[in-house]
């Protein structure tokens, strides 16, 4: 495996500026671990078909990165010098998508292999496509060469190409060395790259959490200050990015890093405010436990829903406003309904939350109060509620974090496990914890990873 000497970054910056050709480091098949056996069959088919039609064909991005690390890639993206129309002509099962930048999607049943034509960044278009006020890249729709395609990617470890022609890995940016070091390094000047696309800040955190990599010093330094730029990112894109951050099995690490770099406050300002002013560790414990549960479920292959995740992330502001409203005489059910609506209305100005998720979120919150009144027919009605399971899991979390009564959580656990005749007996008595809301707060440290 070849190495890049010091000064690579400066050299690359100059190359990007002058559009100078960079000599790649080519790692032959014998010196890396990528085997065709680990690439999806359909992706291999697409690579060969393009190659046989006389085009360049490379696996690129996260697929190459993950294969080199011995992980299973989420998806396989392909880059080629064929134009989208030329790609379409090679495959019958191909559709062109995208207005801003046309991409070819080759369909194999449910699997879609994305094929992108090499993209470039031409000097004049760089100016024309940049928003004059904030430097954000509005369009990057110019085809280019493979080296230009490499240099416009985000991190060096994401800019590696697996060439189907000779099974070598092509490295224009020092990505191989960074991969070995476990280092996330942006291509070019970090502040400029974040300004072009602020989502790269979240990608840095996401890959650091997911891969256990370190963010290069020069790339982490601007994060706390530049986080405000996330405000200019469309709310829907942030929603998608949050799902990737928190639903990839390393949500706890992602949360801690987002807080560390002061980026969490840009995504969930109201929650962040509550966490900053906490006089107990409860809110943090609760969020960390919730995220930890999500991580465990993902690792066990169990389903996780964005509704539960967002219900956890926004619970503390909802809980606080509910308490205020109740203190001013609002009945609990109306109080939580109103606070939930308010918090969601403010949150969607930052990150969208599609209605199919915000509705169940509100139900999860509303059922929390109903758990406390389980006498008579109420308990059975609640058990039959379509959101019962999620709301019960939420109650368990609250109890674990010391915010809800453990006895109440236990009552509901027993209730579900009980035989029908025992259930009736349980609901005949009002039970131990109805009536006044009891809250026990623990003053212990936030949950350690792995200790739930
Ligand atoms: P994963 O799919 O595992 O989340 P990935 O690196 O494949 O990670 P994608 O979002 O699938 O991430 O993007 C594929 C590739 O496209 C990246 O590896 C990177 O080379 C490039 N890319 C994606 N987003 C950006 C961006 N905002 N700026 C520059 N390059 C990007
Ligand atoms: Mg990918």
């Amino acid at each position: 495996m070849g190495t890049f000497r010091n000064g690579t970054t400066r050299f690359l910056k100059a190359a990007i500026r002058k559009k100078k050709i960079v000599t790649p480091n080519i790692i032959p098949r014998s010196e890396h671990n990528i085997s065709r056996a680990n690439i999806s069959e359909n992706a291999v088919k697409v690579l060969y078909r393009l190659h046989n039609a006389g085009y360049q064909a490379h696996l690129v991005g996260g697929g190459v990165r993950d294969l080199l690390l011995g992980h299973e890639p989420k998806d396989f993206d392909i880059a080629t010098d064929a134009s989208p129309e030329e790609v379409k002509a090679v495959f019958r099962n191909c559709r062109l998508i995208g207005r801003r930048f046309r991409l070819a999607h080759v369909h194999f049943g449910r699997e879609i292999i994305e094929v992108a034509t090499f993209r470039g960044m031409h000097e004049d278009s760089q100016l024309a496509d940049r928003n004059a006020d904030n430097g954000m890249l509005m369009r990057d729709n110019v085809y280019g060469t493979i080296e230009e395609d490499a240099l416009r990617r985000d991190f060096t470890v994401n800019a590696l190409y697996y060439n189907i022609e000779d099974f070598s890995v092509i490295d224009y940016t020092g990505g191989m060395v960074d991969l070995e070091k476990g280092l996330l390094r942006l291509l070019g000047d970090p502040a400029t790259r974040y300004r072009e696309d602020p989502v790269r800040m979240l990608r840095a955190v996401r890959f650091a959490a997911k891969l256990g990599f370190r963010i290069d010093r020069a790339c982490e330094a601007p994060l706390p200050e530049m986080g405000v730029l996330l405000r200019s990112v469309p709310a829907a894109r942030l929603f998608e990015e949050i799902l990737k951050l928190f639903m990839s099995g390393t949500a706890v690490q992602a949360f801690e890093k987002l807080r560390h770099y002061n980026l969490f406050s840009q995504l969930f300002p109201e929650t962040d405010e509550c966490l900053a002013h906490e006089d107990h560790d409860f809110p943090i414990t609760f969020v960390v436990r919730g995220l930890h549960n999500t991580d465990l479920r993902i690792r066990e292959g169990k389903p996780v829903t964005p509704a539960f995740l967002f219900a956890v992330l926004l619970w503390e502001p909802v809980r606080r406003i509910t308490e205020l409203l109740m203190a001013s005489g609002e009945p609990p059910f109306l109080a939580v309904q109103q606070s939930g609506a308010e918090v969601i209305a403010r949150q969607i100005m930052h990150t969208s939350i599609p209605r199919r998720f915000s509705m169940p979120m509100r139900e999860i919150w509303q059922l929390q109060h109903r758990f406390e009144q389980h006498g008579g027919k109420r308990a059975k009605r609640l058990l039959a509620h379509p959101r019962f399971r999620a709301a019960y899991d939420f109650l368990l979390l609250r109890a674990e974090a010391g915010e809800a009564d453990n006895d109440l959580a236990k009552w509901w656990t027993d209730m579900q496990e009980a035989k029908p005749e025992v259930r009736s007996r349980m609901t005949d008595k009002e039970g131990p914890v109805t009536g006044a809301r009891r809250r026990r707060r623990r003053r212990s440290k936030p949950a350690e990873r792995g200790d739930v």
Side-chain angles (χ1 to χ4, degrees):
M1 205 178 288
T3 51
F4 279 75
R5 277 171 289 283
N6 291 338
T8 310
T9 318
R10 212 173 342 122
F11 170 60
L12 278 176
K13 274 187 208 160
I16 291 169
R17 224 175 19 246
K18 294 187 197 142
K19 263 186 62 201
K20 219 172 124 186
I21 304 298
V22 183
T23 317
N25 192 15
I26 298 192
I27 299 101
R29 172 66 191 95
S30 56
E31 290 176 33
H32 67 72
N33 65 323
I34 297 184
S35 145
R36 270 162 297 164
N38 298 328
I39 305 173
S40 112
E41 234 175 82
N42 294 325
V44 174
K45 256 189 232 166
V46 173
L47 287 166
Y48 272 121
R49 198 89 80 74
L50 285 168
H51 176 61
N52 292 338
Y55 300 110
Q56 289 185 49
H58 307 267
L59 204 61
V60 66
V64 181
R65 179 197 68 217
D66 290 348
L67 287 172
L68 287 167
L69 290 171
H71 302 170
E72 195 184 329
K74 222 172 52 188
D75 43 36
F76 294 94
D77 295 329
I78 290 174
T80 179
D81 59 350
S83 71
E85 290 71 24
E86 287 169 331
V87 175
K88 190 168 164 57
V90 175
F91 300 95
R92 260 191 312 144
N93 46 337
C94 173
R95 267 186 232 149
L96 299 188
I97 59 142
R99 270 179 299 154
R100 196 180 103 168
F101 191 83
R102 302 207 88 190
L103 291 171
H105 273 182
V106 187
H107 290 251
F108 297 90
R110 292 182 59 182
E111 189 178 14
I112 296 175
I113 306 292
E114 192 168 285
V115 182
T117 306
F118 295 142
R119 249 179 265 190
M121 284 242 286
H122 295 282
E123 223 129 295
D124 16 332
S125 74
Q126 248 186 45
L127 288 179
D129 292 345
R130 223 176 274 270
N131 182 317
D133 293 337
N134 57 14
M136 214 195 291
L137 214 53
M138 304 312 281
R139 276 186 298 144
D140 54 340
N141 54 357
V142 190
Y143 299 130
T145 61
I146 181 169
E147 46 270 71
E148 287 171 323
D149 190 77
L151 297 181
R152 56 154 275 279
R153 290 181 181 271
D154 47 5
F155 301 96
T156 61
V157 295
N158 284 348
L160 295 164
Y161 296 74
Y162 170 77
N163 187 356
I164 199 68
E165 187 177 348
D166 58 3
F167 315 124
S168 64
V169 170
I170 308 179
D171 179 3
Y172 285 93
T173 65
M176 275 308 236
V177 175
D178 288 344
L179 208 60
E180 282 187 353
K181 287 193 205 155
L183 189 64
L184 284 165
R185 200 157 53 85
L186 276 168
L187 290 163
D189 170 56
T192 310
R193 299 306 310 275
Y194 291 142
R195 232 173 275 126
E196 281 175 3
D197 181 5
V199 168
R200 288 176 186 147
M201 294 187 266
L202 300 180
R203 289 176 61 88
V205 166
R206 173 155 72 91
F207 295 129
K210 186 172 121 177
L211 306 173
F213 276 26
R214 194 159 52 76
I215 304 174
D216 176 55
R217 282 250 293 283
C219 300
E220 66 172 358
L223 291 176
E225 255 177 54
M226 295 190 79
V228 289
L229 296 182
L230 287 169
R231 288 189 201 163
S232 55
V233 176
R237 190 167 173 218
L238 288 185
F239 174 75
E240 292 301 324
E241 213 45 49
I242 286 168
L243 296 192
K244 290 184 191 165
L245 277 160
F246 292 132
M247 290 172 74
S248 303
T250 47
V252 174
Q253 290 90 327
F255 172 69
E256 283 167 356
K257 286 185 198 301
L258 288 174
R259 294 250 299 157
H260 176 74
Y261 294 120
N262 200 19
L263 298 174
F264 187 74
S265 58
Q266 300 299 334
L267 301 175
F268 293 92
E270 229 166 311
T271 308
D272 191 72
E273 176 85 3
C274 292
L275 300 183
H277 290 283
E278 53 162 336
D279 44 359
H280 306 272
D281 341 326
F282 154 69
I284 292 230
T285 312
F286 176 75
V287 171
V288 170
R289 278 184 186 247
L291 296 176
H292 182 67
N293 270 11
T294 311
D295 287 343
L296 287 182
R297 289 182 70 92
I298 287 171
R299 268 175 249 164
E300 290 164 5
K302 292 187 190 159
V304 288
T305 140
F308 193 85
L309 176 73
F310 273 75
V312 167
L313 287 165
L314 296 172
W315 174 238
E316 185 58 10
V318 170
R319 196 187 64 78
R320 288 196 180 195
I321 299 169
T322 305
E323 282 199 347
L324 287 177
L325 290 170
M326 281 168 61
S328 65
E330 198 77 61
F333 180 71
L334 288 180
V336 73
Q337 209 171 33
Q338 188 183 329
S339 62
E342 270 179 28
V343 169
I344 289 176
R346 285 193 292 266
Q347 178 63 27
I348 57 176
M349 295 196 282
H350 303 278
T351 68
S352 65
I353 306 176
R355 271 181 77 79
R356 66 179 184 284
F357 301 127
S358 59
M359 291 304 284
M361 279 165 68
R362 296 177 60 173
E363 286 177 319
I364 290 172
W365 293 332
Q366 282 161 15
L367 291 188
Q368 296 311 302
H369 172 69
R370 285 180 52 188
F371 279 127
E372 290 175 11
Q373 296 162 349
H374 50 55
K377 294 216 173 76
R378 285 175 174 152
K380 278 192 195 133
R381 271 207 302 270
L382 206 50
L383 274 173
H385 194 287
R387 213 61 64 195
F388 172 82
R389 186 69 213 188
Y392 164 74
D393 286 343
F394 199 85
L395 173 69
L396 286 187
L397 262 187
R398 292 173 56 220
E400 280 170 11
E403 185 243 333
D405 202 308
N406 268 319
D407 296 340
L408 180 65
K410 186 171 178 313
W411 191 92
W412 279 100
T413 308
D414 295 345
M415 175 71 178
Q416 289 174 81
E417 289 163 2
K419 295 206 173 78
E421 61 274 18
V422 183
R423 275 190 186 179
S424 301
R425 244 180 290 135
M426 285 174 77
T427 51
D428 285 346
K429 301 188 278 173
E430 267 294 294
V433 282
T434 41
R437 199 174 150 97
R438 269 204 265 151
R439 237 192 313 121
R440 284 205 314 241
R441 281 180 156 177
R442 269 199 259 143
R443 283 175 181 273
S444 58
K445 285 246 166 287
E448 292 294 327
R449 239 170 271 161
D451 107 28
V452 174

